[in-house]
Amino acid sequence: MRAHPGQRNNPLRRGSDRVQWWLARILLVLAIAGLPAALAVGLAVHTAEARADRAQAAGRHPVTARLAEDVPAAPDLGTLPAAVTWTADGAAHRATATVDSGQDAGAPVQIWLDAHGNVVHAPAAAGQATAAAWTAALITAAAVPLACALTWRGATYVLDRRRYARWDAEWQEVEPRWTRSRPS
């Protein structure tokens, strides 16, 4: 990470060259630090999702209900809302739940109820927390180096434009004297 000893005091080395040199090292460190950051993000997402899944599973329970109506076959949709009935605590209940299409009235279907007896979606599957964690980690692992690369590209563009503008201004100053001193 150190410049060649002869380059440190080189009169041709501009301030923008030093900025670019330091920026390259800082962005490289940030890009490499993105990997542990991605791991931390993945672990945090997994912990949060697993906690939410456990709370969801604890507050829901499955019930076998019967379809109150025929559910038309809809191969392109897969599931449709339909009226279902079930008996709990000696009382008959009726609600609308999402069920597989193509079933006849009276067919048994599994529904999920919350603590208040309302129909809810099934709790999240065991692998969903892991999938969410991997997704978050991969996005972070890709986003951090990409952000560093875009920052590098933008900075070099700005620094190059500044260097070219200064070079052009210096040439405008030197060129008239230089061309006059040359024989025609």
Side-chain angles (χ1 to χ4, degrees):
M1 294 214 14
R2 295 181 57 185
H4 187 275
Q7 292 291 324
R8 232 177 279 139
N9 298 323
N10 186 343
L12 297 177
R13 192 166 187 219
R14 301 164 289 214
S16 62
D17 295 332
R18 288 180 186 87
V19 168
Q20 189 170 354
W21 187 87
W22 278 107
L23 184 63
R25 273 105 189 119
I26 291 168
L27 290 175
L28 179 64
V29 168
L30 288 176
I32 293 170
L35 295 176
L39 179 64
V41 166
L43 289 173
V45 168
H46 187 271
T47 301
E49 289 287 324
R51 184 179 304 124
D53 291 350
R54 282 191 302 273
Q56 200 178 66
R60 297 176 182 192
H61 61 278
V63 171
T64 300
R66 302 258 174 214
L67 286 172
E69 59 189 19
D70 290 339
V71 181
D76 54 332
L77 295 177
T79 60
L80 294 171
V84 295
T85 59
W86 71 96
T87 305
D89 299 330
H93 299 278
R94 184 180 177 96
T96 302
T98 304
V99 297
D100 292 333
S101 62
Q103 298 186 55
D104 296 328
V109 292
Q110 186 178 45
I111 62 171
W112 288 81
L113 302 178
D114 63 9
H116 304 291
N118 299 320
V119 176
V120 294
H121 292 288
Q128 287 180 333
T130 303
W134 274 106
T135 302
L138 289 175
I139 288 172
T140 304
V144 171
L146 179 63
C148 290
L150 291 174
T151 301
W152 172 253
R153 183 68 186 124
T156 55
Y157 177 78
V158 169
L159 290 170
D160 285 345
R161 285 189 49 108
R162 241 183 93 203
R163 285 189 277 245
Y164 294 149
R166 289 187 69 189
W167 190 18
D168 192 37
E170 289 171 1
W171 180 248
Q172 292 298 326
E173 182 182 318
V174 171
E175 191 263 339
R177 287 183 288 173
W178 184 72
T179 54
R180 270 188 256 140
S181 63
R182 288 191 77 167
S184 311

